[in-house]
Amino acid sequence: MAIEKFITTISRVVPIPIEEIDTDQIIPARFLKATDKKGFGDNLFRDWRYDKNNQPIADFPLNNPKYSGCILVGGKNFGCGSSREHAAWAIADYGFKVVVSSFFADIFKNNVLNNGVLPVQVSEAFLAKIFAAVDANPATELKVDLVNQTITLIATNESEGFEINAYKKDCLLNGFDDIDYLISKLPEIEAFEKKYKG
Amino acid sequence: MGKTLFDKIWDAHVVTEIQDGPSILYIDRQFIHEVTSPQAFTGIEARGRKVFRPAQITATADHNIPTMDQHLPIKEYLSAFQVEKLKENCARHGITYYGLGDEYNGIVHVVGPELGYTQPGMTIVCGDSHTSTHGAFGTVAFGVGTSEVEMVFASQCIMQPKPKRMRITINGELGKGVTSKDVILYILSKLTASGATGYFIEYAGSTIRNMSMEARMTVCNMSIELGARGGMIAPDQKTFDYVKDRKYAPQGADFDKAVEKWKQLYSDADAVFDKEYSFDATDIIPMITYGTNPGLGMKITDKIPSLASVDPATKETFVKALQYMGFEPEQQLLGKEVDWVFVGSCTNGRIEDFRLLAAMLKGRKRAPHINTYIVPGSYLVEKQIKEEGLDKIFAEADVELRQPGCSSCLAMNEDKVPPGKYCVATSNRNFEGRQGPGARTILASPLTAAAAIITGKITDPREFL
């Protein structure tokens, strides 16, 4: 069951310059009652995006026509809190391919990777540069190149490298899925079990 | 060089390491609940597979259930459907399931230890970030996403990069009225909500040693709030005594043999940690949070920090948090009127927590304007509350005891706090909207919660001791 292959992405960005964005904000608990993975994008950032009368809040970046594109940029410690993969499903379902921050929570990072969305961790300084550039010009574009592991502000050609382990990079580039991989390893796992359980 | 406790357990469970990639880690036990498992069942079924090791998986319904009238069908359609789905999925795959009304039902992280599923040296996962709770028994236990739940269904393994190791040492005696909840809120206030991201924590020191198993679970439970993958405590005689004779623990001679093995589970004296912190227990007093992440906490007698004292990089987040909470910089919260009190959750929903609550409520009454959610962590906890007569103390204090579940910790059910209202909660997260849209959460210990029930205000519980 392959995931979508990740290709080099050039896009405008949607900036949310807030730190400690927890997964309860990305998808509030009351939307976790579904038993499939579809449609979570409609409620992405629900309580920041809509007021209590379900009217869009005009200046929230997802509602602001100034901003568009498939790259979401958030402040430090993005995705902290609850392990709900629904947050990753909401981000993917909305159409984001890349999430950029200076720091990701561990579980969230695994969750987005398992859904073909690339988390790009940049330095605090580069993150500040992105926010400043988008603030000055909302048409600012970023290029995210997974093969060379670089993220570039197109207008100024300022660039920074990012880390990803070789295994996960291979999975994303080829659309491989961890579960298929583990199933292929079942003989090895059974051999381990035999030894381990004595 | 010696090994840390974490390395000893992790290394014993590595099936194989992928070069420049994650390890394939064998999982001894997976707990599942209704909210984060349905898509994983759909996933393996779409692959045409059955659950690989159903005997190593345990299910309970806890997140999305009412805490009143549990003998009746669940009213809300989606919630009823989700719980029914779990029951069906478990039946189809041969997984033990504790549903509503079952004597062993309860919050997954309360049930696991009390039934003896949780044993030293294990690797444990669950699609729930508070799986770190089980670390109190010297286990490597952590929360995972639904894709990873499916990995365990398919192979009893997950793919994980190895985290770094951190040790947090706390020495000294805790003062009167200071609980393990205050200890972890204190650590959070020092290290922040991202202070341990990328690490697995071992808690050590005399303060931790002197804690009961319940208190240790509270500390490990909130490791995730520091950003840590998990938190653990080396097992000792208290751990062994707790596990002994529990339903799914090894029995008789098997237990003695297991204890001999468990006694090897400690960090060697020359083991090296990537990061170490140490704290003095005598500096800790009752703690509360004032912001919208658990790292924004302070001593109950302190004032909220001034704008000038906040790191300029985090100022925007700090201001946003105070705006949401309706607080001002430099405000003191002692005496601040609150509206709701929640006692429960996998953080503070065990019998000791209700004993603390009852001891303070005894002979006193709820302030008339206070609404409460008093929610046991499991049916066994509820049973013990009744056996010890704590329910009578609650009734005399005019406080209603509800039925077990996650309840107002994440408010997926009806146990919500209305918009703009303040709730002193013994749970683990004060995120915006966590207890319902617009609800304002102040995290605290069961003692501080009890004091708030009595006075209707944020109150230093030491006044009542």
Side-chain angles (χ1 to χ4, degrees), chain A residues 1-7 23 26-27 36-40 70 83-99 106-119 146 164 167-168 171-179, chain B residues 36 39-40 43 47 144-151:
Chain A
M1 298 235 296
I3 54 172
E4 202 176 315
K5 288 183 190 176
F6 189 91
I7 49 171
T23 53
I26 298 173
I27 186 85
D36 59 26
K37 297 184 184 180
K38 293 185 196 82
F40 286 101
C70 65
S83 59
R84 60 189 68 164
E85 194 164 316
H86 312 65
W89 299 333
I91 285 171
D93 187 54
Y94 188 86
F96 288 113
K97 304 278 181 219
V98 177
V99 188
D106 287 330
I107 303 177
F108 177 80
K109 200 194 302 185
N110 281 347
N111 285 345
V112 281
L113 279 168
N114 284 330
N115 287 280
V117 174
L118 177 65
L146 177 56
I164 181 168
Y167 167 82
K168 267 296 170 194
C171 286
L172 282 179
L173 287 172
N174 295 295
F176 296 155
D177 161 317
D178 276 356
I179 302 166
Chain B
T36 58
Q39 295 86 350
R47 289 168 208 268
V144 295
T146 299
S147 294
E148 292 163 314
V149 172
E150 189 180 338
M151 289 178 208

Side-chain angles (χ1 to χ4, degrees), chain A residues 19 22 24-25 32-33 36 48 81-83 85 103 106 110-111 166-167 177 180 183 193 196-197, chain B residues 13 20 26 28 39 47 49 53 56 76 82 129 145-147 159 198 314 317 412 429 431-432 434:
Chain A
E19 298 189 344
D22 58 78
D24 271 81
Q25 306 319 312
L32 308 187
K33 296 181 183 185
D36 59 26
W48 288 1
S82 162
S83 59
E85 194 164 316
F103 204 81
D106 287 330
N110 281 347
N111 285 345
Y167 167 82
D177 161 317
D180 286 340
I183 290 170
E193 261 187 337
Y196 171 70
K197 292 184 177 170
Chain B
H13 288 81
D20 194 16
Y26 189 78
D28 291 310
Q39 295 86 350
R47 289 168 208 268
R49 306 194 72 88
R53 293 288 179 255
Q56 284 168 249
E76 213 229 354
Q82 200 175 45
S129 60
T146 299
S147 294
M159 318 267 293
T314 64
T317 307
M412 266 191 88
R429 288 184 174 138
F431 297 152
E432 284 185 29
R434 177 79 178 177

Side-chain angles (χ1 to χ4, degrees), chain A residues 58-105:
Chain A
D59 63 350
F60 184 66
L62 290 186
N63 297 328
N64 191 333
K66 274 203 309 199
Y67 304 117
S68 62
C70 65
I71 301 177
L72 177 65
V73 187
K76 190 181 86 176
N77 202 19
F78 192 93
C80 59
S82 162
S83 59
R84 60 189 68 164
E85 194 164 316
H86 312 65
W89 299 333
I91 285 171
D93 187 54
Y94 188 86
F96 288 113
K97 304 278 181 219
V98 177
V99 188
V100 181
S101 178
S102 58
F103 204 81
F104 290 99

Side-chain angles (χ1 to χ4, degrees), chain B residues 357-367 388-401 453-454:
Chain B
L357 177 68
M360 193 170 283
L361 289 182
K362 192 166 185 178
R364 301 191 172 101
K365 280 241 184 285
R366 172 178 61 87
E388 294 182 17
L390 308 183
D391 57 327
K392 294 197 179 65
I393 296 172
F394 297 149
E396 279 159 23
D398 202 14
V399 163
E400 180 183 46
L401 182 66
I453 292 174
I454 300 162

Side-chain angles (χ1 to χ4, degrees), chain B residues 75-95:
Chain B
K75 277 189 214 142
E76 213 229 354
Y77 171 74
L78 283 177
S79 305
F81 185 75
Q82 200 175 45
V83 171
E84 190 56 31
K85 256 283 181 266
L86 178 64
K87 186 179 167 185
E88 283 170 22
N89 283 332
C90 288
R92 204 160 54 246
H93 290 272
I95 294 168

